[in-house]
Amino acid sequence: MDDEPIYRADLAYIHDQGYGFHAEICAPGILAVLEPVRASGGVVLEVGCGSGALTRHLVAAGHRVIATDASPAMLDLARATVPGAEAIRPLVLPHDPIPPVDAIVGIGHPLNYLPSLDAIHTALAALTAALPVGGLLALDLCDLEWGALRQGAAPHARVGDDWAIITRFHQPAPDRFDREITTFVRTDDGHYRRSDEFHRTVLVDTTTIPDALARHGIQATVGTSFGDPEHPLPRGLRTIIGRKTTATPG
């Protein structure tokens, strides 16, 4: 089950149709953080772009964006909805090569989907190595608190015009938070197609992240919003905002 791809076509569609609100919350703060990059004409790499909900805001603000995701279905949606991006392409962390860019952003906790804490740290090292001195980093990560606050959470269900989703939650360890997701999408003949996905996520003690990033030349802070107090993130989800102050050690 753990080896199956995630965010296949039906779940990608539902996520695009019903869950873009996280990008709306994050966009004002991220755009403010990235203003120096926009003003200088620099390039922003977006990891875990999904269907392009944040990408739309970045492009509309005048940013040059390379949008990436590990899900082919999400990338198909992003290509259709954000034609103004410089590139929309696959990127599977932590080992795919990362192009040199001036800023890196990622929302929806994409790094928590990596298989281990070691993989998360490897990905952070690779991302920071792609930044020049002065480059910016703005990500969100699920803290250990995310799981602690949601122990025993009831299943989540939502219904749209032509879709429905049911999510069951499990926390097998303090640093794990897993989801069993069942989706139903209406087909052209009026019937509903069922799909099932299992999402395994690794939670992080985010208080350790600034020291980890400092070893790669990044001065970073942990917060509860991207600098916009009117748009706090859900409890347990943290922002990591940093600037590269020294070259990555060779």
Side-chain angles (χ1 to χ4, degrees):
M1 178 179 279
D2 287 347
D3 294 331
E4 293 181 356
I6 63 172
Y7 287 108
R8 301 190 298 276
D10 285 353
L11 182 57
Y13 171 73
I14 290 172
H15 197 275
D16 177 63
Q17 293 294 303
Y19 291 87
F21 51 82
H22 185 60
E24 301 300 319
I25 291 171
C26 297
I30 287 180
L31 291 176
V33 169
L34 294 180
E35 177 55 24
V37 176
R38 186 205 62 78
S40 67
V43 178
V44 178
L45 175 73
E46 183 183 1
V47 295
C49 71
S51 61
L54 177 63
T55 321
R56 284 193 291 266
H57 289 279
L58 295 172
V59 171
H63 282 285
R64 300 168 59 199
V65 182
I66 300 173
T68 68
D69 203 281
S71 163
M74 284 293 202
L75 292 171
D76 286 343
L77 290 171
R79 291 185 185 103
T81 57
V82 197
E86 291 212 348
I88 297 176
R89 66 195 204 198
L91 179 68
V92 181
L93 294 171
H95 298 304
D96 279 2
I98 300 166
V101 291
D102 300 285
I104 296 172
V105 301
I107 64 169
H109 53 277
L111 297 189
N112 292 102
Y113 283 90
L114 296 179
S116 67
L117 182 60
D118 284 346
I120 292 172
H121 280 282
T122 299
L124 286 171
L127 291 171
T128 58
L131 292 172
V133 173
L136 298 173
L137 178 72
L139 303 166
D140 62 21
L141 280 174
C142 283
D143 187 79
L144 294 173
E145 185 189 30
W146 180 272
L149 291 172
R150 292 164 177 79
Q151 287 186 355
H156 164 83
R158 282 189 65 189
V159 177
D161 290 340
D162 59 356
W163 56 267
I165 183 170
I166 302 167
T167 306
R168 297 168 293 280
F169 308 103
H170 308 280
Q171 191 176 14
D175 63 347
R176 281 273 305 279
F177 190 78
D178 300 339
R179 301 173 179 89
E180 290 183 66
I181 303 171
T182 299
T183 61
F184 299 88
V185 172
R186 189 166 60 208
T187 60
D188 291 340
D189 60 8
H191 294 89
Y192 279 81
R193 176 178 59 244
R194 172 176 172 164
S195 298
D196 293 278
E197 296 197 17
F198 178 78
H199 290 193
R200 177 185 188 275
T201 53
V202 176
L203 305 180
V204 178
D205 179 357
T206 55
T207 64
T208 67
I209 296 300
D211 284 345
L213 288 173
R215 293 193 287 271
H216 303 287
I218 299 281
Q219 287 190 350
T221 58
V222 179
T224 57
S225 78
F226 285 104
D228 182 356
E230 294 186 4
H231 296 89
L233 273 61
R235 292 180 65 194
L237 189 61
R238 303 282 195 270
T239 58
I240 310 295
I241 301 175
R243 176 183 291 272
K244 193 165 187 177
T245 57
T246 59
T248 301

